[in-house]
Amino acid sequence: MNKVKALIATLLIGMAMPAAAQYSQLGKKNEFMMKVEAGYLPYIGNIGEAGDYGHYLNKHHHGADVNVMVGMNISQDWFLGGGAGVGYYFSSHEQAESMLGAQVFVDFDFRPIWKAIMGLDYQPTSIKWAPEVGARVGGSMLLGPSDTYGTTLTPLVEVYGGLNWYYWYHLNGMRNMSRNWHSFYVTLGVAYMQQTVFLPIRLGWRW
């Protein structure tokens, strides 16, 4: 057993040495990240087969939600993590019932802010803006009465694009480049959940 432990320790040390060397050359690239966002979801239309009582959101319901995501900032450009949120669905139609909802999902985005010269990555020293593309996949459920529709758990799929403002660099310059990925962002996307297609507009903060 001691020999096995010694072998494992040797392997771990051997794996750690090149990783440490890479860190000393390129700096820390993977860091914990959180995102918080608020969104407004204009109604586009219902899809799928309607039940005896119509679609789950059958009165041209718009939505509003708040989401929180945690994950990893990978090589400065990428985010991958999980999220959860609450939603509120409402309509101006008469006799249209407002409903609460909840969602959980996996979220990723790409923000191309690294550049390369002769194959070597470097971090620009004047990053203020960067485009963003991303997607999320998960599930959504209405939290209203279940006697009408039964379980309203549906897939959640969203693709989006937007723009990041790197306020940390804008405010601090090069005094702390390790945090220059802190940003505010705005995105526009297309989402499907609850038998409905929405056009989400989101404003968020990443740090």
Side-chain angles (χ1 to χ4, degrees):
M1 181 63 69
N2 289 335
K3 292 182 179 180
V4 173
K5 291 182 179 180
L7 178 60
I8 294 174
T10 302
L11 291 173
L12 291 175
I13 293 172
M15 295 170 61
M17 289 179 64
Q22 184 182 32
Y23 176 87
S24 65
Q25 295 175 8
L26 301 179
K28 187 177 181 181
K29 284 192 172 184
N30 302 334
E31 301 184 67
F32 176 79
M33 176 181 281
M34 291 189 68
K35 295 165 59 177
V36 177
E37 64 184 23
Y40 174 62
L41 291 69
Y43 168 92
I44 299 299
N46 294 118
I47 60 175
E49 183 177 353
D52 294 337
Y53 300 95
H55 292 95
Y56 296 158
L57 300 174
N58 56 9
K59 300 291 185 182
H60 295 161
H61 285 75
H62 304 292
D65 63 13
V66 176
N67 297 309
V68 177
M69 290 140 282
V70 295
M72 292 296 296
N73 185 47
I74 304 171
S75 296
Q76 190 75 16
D77 294 347
W78 299 86
F79 169 79
L80 176 63
V86 294
Y88 177 69
Y89 303 97
F90 57 94
S91 175
S92 59
H93 284 223
E94 293 184 6
Q95 299 179 344
E97 180 182 3
S98 298
M99 287 173 277
L100 292 175
Q103 57 263 2
V104 293
F105 52 86
V106 175
D107 178 64
F108 84 90
D109 65 53
F110 173 60
R111 311 168 320 276
I113 59 177
W114 279 79
K115 297 182 180 180
I117 294 180
M118 299 179 65
L120 299 176
D121 287 339
Y122 80 100
Q123 191 172 19
T125 59
S126 60
I127 296 170
K128 294 181 182 178
W129 301 91
E132 173 182 351
V133 293
R136 56 189 57 168
V137 178
S140 169
M141 176 177 283
L142 295 178
L143 302 178
S146 60
D147 54 348
T148 300
Y149 298 106
T151 301
T152 61
L153 178 63
T154 69
L156 180 158
V157 180
E158 181 177 338
V159 293
Y160 56 86
L163 187 66
N164 283 259
W165 174 51
Y166 291 94
Y167 67 88
W168 188 268
Y169 176 83
H170 185 80
L171 297 177
N172 296 277
M174 296 184 65
R175 285 179 289 176
N176 194 336
M177 290 298 291
S178 66
R179 298 184 180 181
N180 73 344
W181 45 264
H182 290 210
S183 69
F184 294 108
Y185 62 88
V186 60
T187 62
L188 174 65
V190 177
Y192 165 79
M193 55 186 154
Q194 299 303 322
Q195 302 179 330
T196 307
V197 176
F198 297 98
L199 193 70
I201 304 167
R202 304 189 186 278
L203 178 64
W205 175 33
R206 70 174 76 242
W207 77 96

